[in-house]
Amino acid sequence: MEFTDHDLIGEFRAGSTVAFERLMGRYERLGYSIAYGFTGEREAALDVSQNVFIRVHSKLSTYKTDGNFKSWIARVAMNESCNWKRSQKRHRATVLDEEISAGPGAPQEDRLWEREARQHVNQSLARLKPQHQLAVVLRYFEAMPIREIAGVIGTSEGVVKNILFRSLRKMKVEVGASMEVA
């Protein structure tokens, strides 16, 4: 028998650590995807997603079970990601990219090109408003339906479609311009 999120929340409130582990297992990928969409860095996304579940653990006793738990997790992940971005701006921390350890020739150039393109996409995504970033991440990293994204963001499906259209258009222009310069 598969337990629902609300069943597991009830078990957690009754003292079951296994129930929380099951909830975390269900949503750790979602938390990581959102964090990665905001940070653009693997290590930072791992740190942020860990903070997400620390926050969820500490606030789960006050969660109102009449809501959508997946949407709540996504909002917590967005808030933690925004907190991370603010702290990065304050501290002006820099993260070095991983070294490319390949032989000479075209394969290395291809990897450099792919890495550069991915970097431009991440930078463009990072310049979107947090709500727009979340919509793009949920739709294109998590393949979440428009209806669910609307629930997470707290708006209508039409507004989500508009956010996605405008965000992708803006990213396409920015990435295209930055790739031409490079």
Side-chain angles (χ1 to χ4, degrees):
M1 178 179 149
E2 185 68 25
F3 291 102
T4 66
D5 291 344
H6 296 294
D7 293 338
L8 292 172
I9 292 167
E11 291 290 319
F12 170 77
R13 287 178 176 167
S16 171
T17 57
V18 172
F20 183 76
E21 289 172 8
R22 286 187 180 164
L23 281 170
M24 191 173 135
R26 284 184 187 174
Y27 296 108
E28 65 187 341
R29 182 174 177 267
L30 175 66
Y32 175 82
S33 292
I34 292 170
Y36 186 82
F38 276 79
T39 65
E41 302 167 6
R42 182 182 182 281
E43 291 300 318
L46 288 170
D47 289 344
V48 170
S49 61
Q50 182 177 9
N51 290 342
V52 167
F53 288 101
I54 290 170
R55 177 67 52 104
V56 167
H57 187 272
S58 69
K59 300 291 184 184
L60 197 53
S61 60
T62 61
Y63 171 73
K64 293 180 176 75
T65 56
D66 58 344
N68 182 320
F69 187 70
K70 185 176 183 179
S71 295
W72 185 67
I73 292 273
R75 282 191 299 274
V76 171
M78 181 187 79
N79 291 338
E80 286 298 314
S81 298
C82 288
N83 290 342
W84 178 87
K85 284 178 76 171
R86 278 192 294 278
S87 74
Q88 293 304 298
K89 286 179 183 176
R90 274 195 304 271
H91 300 295
R92 298 286 180 215
T94 58
V95 177
L96 299 175
D97 288 334
E98 68 272 4
E99 294 294 322
I100 295 181
S101 59
Q108 184 176 5
E109 290 174 12
D110 290 345
R111 280 193 286 280
L112 282 169
W113 180 257
E114 288 173 18
R115 188 175 117 206
E116 190 173 311
R118 190 171 44 249
Q119 196 172 29
H120 289 297
V121 169
N122 287 339
Q123 289 169 350
S124 178
L125 183 61
R127 284 192 284 273
L128 296 175
K129 294 176 184 175
Q131 190 178 54
H132 295 198
Q133 276 183 287
L134 181 61
V136 169
V137 168
L138 292 176
R139 183 67 178 155
Y140 298 106
F141 290 25
E142 286 295 311
M144 188 180 280
I146 300 288
R147 177 178 292 137
E148 282 187 49
I149 297 170
V152 169
I153 294 176
T155 190
S156 70
E157 291 179 42
V159 170
V160 170
K161 290 176 183 176
N162 191 342
I163 287 171
L164 291 171
F165 174 78
R166 289 176 185 267
S167 297
L168 292 178
R169 185 174 59 188
K170 180 179 180 182
M171 289 176 66
K172 181 179 177 183
V173 168
E174 286 181 8
V175 170
S178 63
M179 292 300 287
E180 289 173 7
V181 171

